[in-house]
Amino acid sequence: MEDVLGNSSFSDYFSTGFPLQSMLDFSCEGDTMPLGFMELLGVQDLNPSVFGMTPQAPLVTQPLNNPCSPKIESPAEILNQPATPNSSSISSASSEAVNDEHAKVGDQEEDQQKTKKNDGGSRLKPKKTNQKRQREPRFAFMTKSEVDHLEDGYRWRKYGQKAVKNSSFPRSYYRCTTTSCNVKKRVERSFSDPSIVITTYEGQHTHPSPVMPRSSLVSGASAVATTFGMGMQRTPSHYQQPFAADALSPLNSGQNGSSFNPSFLHEGSFCSPGASLLKDHGLLQDIVPSHMLKEE
DNA sequence: CGTCTTTGACCCGCGC
DNA sequence: GCGCGGGTCAAAGACG
């Protein structure tokens, strides 16, 4: 099992058999939306500003790994049984991610130090570690959006941009501006559908969501609902799904060669019969810490 | 002035 | 070993 996101671009997959098909074929048969992606992102004290997506940016986001889809059966998923009902298949994140999950907070500082040593200092100093560069767990989203950089409640600094092979759209690299937080994210457009933005988060925030980003001050909590929760039932064209990076594995791709159909994004039927799921808990259950839900 | 973006150069891992 | 592509750095410029 390879860390697909780490070794190849989404575009590669879009252009080579569209493995996303499996991810987008949300034939959810389960009764829950077991995706606790924010937990996996390390957002533990999510406040309403998180995911205060830019209001003017129409969003339709999909996780590239539908936890409900029985079609996704990467070895990682099979091996990594969900620790909690709410996070079930999310642990389908790459095995590396799972390992990191185990290491998680405890090793975070260490990882950061390693990262600094390896990525930063090593530029001028000869790196001498026989360890492979450690990668954080990564989770990506497909988002139907006009803007590349979606507001998610955190502040990001763009530190790089690279042209992606087999894609006419560049990939942008962002880093959380909070000191001591080395969460990164990559943003790129789908090669097959330029209206789709693929955002890949790497690492876990070590801090609560900062103050409302300037551009999102307008909406705040309502944006959260609109984008991730209730809004998903009201406005089917606005939803977002996380997916485990591993979902892009060629393993998954081989299951269905048919092309990715972006129009599906508009159907608002991810986890199709589960519209009501979203009503009760739905994504909110997954993206909002349980204690927050309890408070409500 | 602080923050953010742009962009060319560099480093590293991997495949051939 | 070499080349390619992904990822990162950091200086310079833009912007409010």
Side-chain angles (χ1 to χ4, degrees), chain A residues 172-191:
Chain A
S172 297
Y173 299 89
Y174 296 89
R175 176 177 295 139
C176 183
T177 59
T178 302
T179 54
S180 81
C181 179
N182 65 337
V183 176
K184 300 168 193 170
K185 75 174 180 180
R186 299 182 303 191
V187 177
E188 65 183 286
R189 286 201 172 272
S190 165
F191 176 63

Side-chain angles (χ1 to χ4, degrees), chain A residues 194-206:
Chain A
S195 65
I196 294 178
V197 176
I198 300 172
T199 305
T200 304
Y201 289 88
E202 178 175 338
Q204 300 175 346
H205 288 285
T206 61

Side-chain angles (χ1 to χ4, degrees), chain A residues 1-246:
Chain A
M1 209 43 185
E2 289 294 321
D3 178 7
V4 174
L5 287 181
N7 294 331
S8 59
S9 67
F10 286 100
S11 306
D12 289 340
Y13 292 90
F14 282 128
S15 57
T16 58
F18 299 95
L20 289 179
Q21 169 64 24
S22 62
M23 304 175 241
L24 297 173
D25 187 4
F26 299 120
S27 53
C28 177
E29 297 174 0
D31 292 328
T32 60
M33 261 302 293
L35 212 54
F37 84 96
M38 288 313 298
E39 296 173 11
L40 289 157
L41 287 179
V43 178
Q44 284 146 4
D45 43 7
L46 183 74
N47 71 33
S49 67
V50 175
F51 298 112
M53 298 294 186
T54 309
Q56 68 273 17
L59 300 174
V60 176
T61 310
Q62 302 221 341
L64 295 184
N65 180 11
N66 176 19
C68 304
S69 173
K71 292 183 178 182
I72 299 176
E73 295 178 358
S74 68
E77 290 177 326
I78 296 173
L79 291 174
N80 303 310
Q81 291 303 315
T84 64
N86 209 27
S87 62
S88 66
S89 308
I90 190 64
S91 45
S92 66
S94 60
S95 53
E96 103 182 271
V98 173
N99 291 336
D100 285 347
E101 283 297 306
H102 290 307
K104 223 170 183 174
V105 182
D107 294 340
Q108 199 151 22
E109 287 184 14
E110 185 178 356
D111 287 343
Q112 291 175 4
Q113 291 175 355
K114 288 178 184 176
T115 300
K116 287 176 182 176
K117 287 179 182 176
N118 293 344
D119 294 342
S122 67
R123 263 185 83 87
L124 297 178
K125 298 176 183 177
K127 173 164 65 175
K128 206 44 210 164
T129 59
N130 43 8
Q131 300 178 352
K132 278 191 174 182
R133 188 191 330 203
Q134 298 228 348
R135 288 194 177 280
E136 303 285 341
R138 290 188 286 194
F139 302 92
F141 304 86
M142 290 180 62
T143 303
K144 189 101 172 180
S145 174
E146 296 173 357
V147 297
D148 289 338
H149 190 197
L150 304 172
E151 288 293 346
D152 57 6
Y154 290 90
R155 297 182 64 184
W156 302 92
R157 176 190 296 274
K158 188 175 185 177
Y159 65 90
Q161 177 173 306
K162 289 284 287 187
V164 180
K165 194 170 184 292
N166 295 328
S167 175
S168 53
F169 303 100
R171 173 183 298 157
S172 297
Y173 299 89
Y174 296 89
R175 176 177 295 139
C176 183
T177 59
T178 302
T179 54
S180 81
C181 179
N182 65 337
V183 176
K184 300 168 193 170
K185 75 174 180 180
R186 299 182 303 191
V187 177
E188 65 183 286
R189 286 201 172 272
S190 165
F191 176 63
S192 60
D193 186 350
S195 65
I196 294 178
V197 176
I198 300 172
T199 305
T200 304
Y201 289 88
E202 178 175 338
Q204 300 175 346
H205 288 285
T206 61
H207 58 94
S209 175
V211 291
M212 206 55 200
R214 301 163 302 286
S215 57
S216 299
L217 287 171
V218 212
S219 43
S222 65
V224 179
T226 300
T227 305
F228 274 83
M230 299 75 93
M232 289 175 59
Q233 36 182 340
R234 285 200 306 263
T235 57
S237 63
H238 291 204
Y239 63 83
Q240 189 167 51
Q241 288 183 304
F243 75 99
D246 226 28

